[in-house]
Amino acid sequence: MRRGWTRRRLLVGALGVPALLSGCASPLAEQALGTPAQDIAATGIAALEGRGVAVAFDAEHVLTCAHLLGGSGRLRLTRGDGRSEAEGVVLARSRRMDLAVLRVPRGFLAPVLRAADRPREGETVWAAGVPQLGAGIARGHVEAPDAEMPGFGRGFTARMPALMGYSGGPVVDAEGRLLGLTSALPDPGAAGALALLTGADLDGLTRRDRRIFALAIHRAEAEALHLLSLTG
C-alpha cells in the first residue's frame, strides 16, 4: 500500500474543463463492442453532464466520484448507448471516500454485475470513460490489488491508457464484472497543466502505462448502502 500521494495526485476528470468530457466520436457502447465492457457500457453506465461517468448500483441509484459533483445537486445523465437521458439527483456524498450516490428514474440504467472477489495482481482489466479525444475503452492490468489513497478510499491500482473523462467509470474483469470505479491519478505529472492549456489530455494520449487508482466496488457498495440508510 502506497501512501504520500495526496500532494501529487490529480483527480481524473476533475479539472473543471467541461470540454474535456464533452463526448466521444462514437457512443461508448459502440466503442466497447467485442470487449468485456460491452454490456455495462450499453446500459449500465451514463455520462455525467460533461464531468465523468456514473455506474448503476440498483434500479434507481447510481454511483460516481464525489469530486465530480462540485456544488451541483442535479445533473443530466446520458446513457452509454446515447439513446436515453435522465436527471440525476444527488442524495449523499461520503466523507470517508471519493463516492456519491445519485437517484435516477427507475429503469434508466440496468444494475451491473459486481465481482465477488478482489482483483489479482497482473489480472487484465478494462475501464470505460468519456474523453473528448481518445478511446472510451482502455485495457490494462492490475498493478497493486490492495492500495489506499488518502481522501479517496481503499481499492487497487492498474496500469492502462485511461484518460481524463474516465473518472467515476467502471473497471471490469474479463467476465465484465465490476471491480471498481476509476477515481484518480496517483502520479499526474504535468497532465493537469497540459490539459488546461490545450483542452485535451495530451499526457494520457501518449502514455500507455498510466497508473490509475480505482475505488474497490465492495467498499463502495458497503458505503453506498450506509449512505442510503441515512437518507431514509
Side-chain angles (χ1 to χ4, degrees), residues 6-229:
T6 307
R7 294 182 181 177
R8 294 182 294 130
R9 73 193 183 201
L10 174 70
L11 311 188
V12 181
L15 297 178
V17 185
L20 285 173
L21 308 177
S22 61
C24 305
S26 59
L28 184 56
E30 292 183 13
Q31 297 187 57
L33 288 176
T35 75
Q38 65 178 18
D39 291 338
I40 194 173
T43 61
I45 64 176
L48 192 63
E49 200 177 281
R51 305 183 187 208
V53 182
V55 179
F57 180 61
D58 58 29
E60 54 185 355
H61 297 100
V62 299
L63 305 182
T64 192
C65 291
H67 77 252
L68 294 174
L69 304 181
S72 301
R74 295 174 181 270
L75 299 101
R76 200 71 183 168
L77 282 74
T78 303
R79 201 167 64 185
D81 59 8
R83 298 177 181 177
S84 181
E85 294 186 355
E87 183 179 70
V89 178
V90 179
L91 294 182
R93 308 174 194 225
S94 173
R95 295 184 178 183
R96 297 185 286 189
M97 59 186 66
D98 185 23
L99 183 73
V101 182
L102 284 69
R103 184 177 65 241
V104 296
R106 179 174 287 273
F108 170 59
L109 294 175
V112 303
L113 179 64
R114 299 186 277 274
D117 300 323
R118 298 179 182 181
R120 304 181 308 277
E121 183 177 356
E123 179 179 358
T124 302
V125 292
W126 289 257
V130 286
Q132 183 185 34
L133 297 176
I137 299 294
R139 177 180 174 176
H141 66 275
V142 174
E143 179 184 55
D146 184 23
E148 184 173 1
M149 193 164 179
F152 290 84
R154 199 173 191 94
F156 59 92
T157 63
R159 292 280 184 175
M160 60 170 58
L163 300 167
M164 295 176 187
Y166 279 58
S167 199
V171 180
V172 303
D173 64 14
E175 304 300 322
R177 296 171 298 191
L178 182 63
L179 293 167
L181 307 179
T182 303
S183 297
L185 296 177
D187 307 300
L194 284 171
L196 288 171
L197 287 171
T198 66
D201 185 9
L202 299 183
D203 178 76
L205 289 171
T206 59
R207 291 174 58 187
R208 306 299 300 175
D209 64 342
R210 196 178 222 178
R211 182 175 9 174
I212 64 113
F213 172 79
L215 175 64
I217 191 55
H218 69 280
R219 294 185 179 275
E221 179 178 17
E223 181 70 354
L225 290 172
H226 170 69
L227 293 172
L228 288 172
S229 72

